[in-house]
Amino acid sequence: MRIGFFNSIETWGGGEKWHFESAVHFAKLGHDVYFFGSKNSKLETKLLEFPAITYIEVHLTNLSFLNPVKRCYLTSTFEKLQIEVVLINNPRDLKIAAYAAHSAGVPRIIYRRGSAIPIKIHF
């Protein structure tokens, strides 16, 4: 199975720990694991020790979901890699990665929120 983990947060926290451990676990089981994250993030540093996991740098802001070039890049990347599952970590990533994954025809898009705090409704 081809699994894409999507976490662009640069710092380390509970969600990042979960994504890291899960990516390593699935890679050890023999799945093709791709990790989409920020350049020079703590996750990238830790994942360098696992060459079976392909790290793909993405630079996102809160308004990246409005950028058609970034959306098209992610969509084409998901299609090219034939990603079957995308696991998304935070709301900023959800806005762009879920849209791109849906556009690419990824069958399973999972938003794994690490916090029990409800999502705020904003315009």
Side-chain angles (χ1 to χ4, degrees):
M1 182 170 291
R2 294 175 179 263
I3 304 170
F5 287 86
F6 208 102
N7 188 329
S8 67
I9 293 179
E10 295 176 3
T11 57
W12 185 258
E16 290 68 42
K17 180 181 184 291
W18 185 90
H19 265 63
F20 169 75
E21 290 175 349
S22 298
V24 170
H25 175 75
F26 283 112
K28 286 181 179 177
L29 290 177
H31 296 285
D32 295 330
V33 176
Y34 300 90
F35 206 104
F36 297 82
S38 294
K39 183 177 182 176
N40 299 323
S41 68
K42 184 70 173 175
L43 273 167
E44 180 183 20
T45 305
K46 289 177 127 338
L47 288 169
L48 287 173
E49 299 174 23
F50 299 92
I53 299 173
T54 304
Y55 194 86
I56 300 167
E57 291 180 5
V58 292
H59 175 70
L60 299 179
T61 66
N62 286 336
L63 298 177
S64 289
F65 72 98
L66 297 172
N67 186 332
V69 174
K70 287 189 181 191
R71 286 194 322 254
C72 287
Y73 166 76
L74 286 174
T75 299
S76 66
T77 302
F78 290 150
E79 288 172 343
K80 181 177 71 175
L81 297 175
Q82 298 176 334
I83 300 291
E84 298 171 73
V85 178
V86 173
L87 289 126
I88 304 167
N89 182 57
N90 64 64
R92 178 180 67 190
D93 294 344
L94 178 68
K95 289 185 260 183
I96 189 167
Y99 178 88
H102 178 73
S103 298
V106 174
R108 292 177 201 92
I109 303 166
I110 301 166
Y111 176 48
R112 197 265 179 204
R113 187 165 163 84
S115 174
I117 302 168
I119 299 170
K120 296 176 186 171
I121 298 175
H122 293 271
F123 173 68

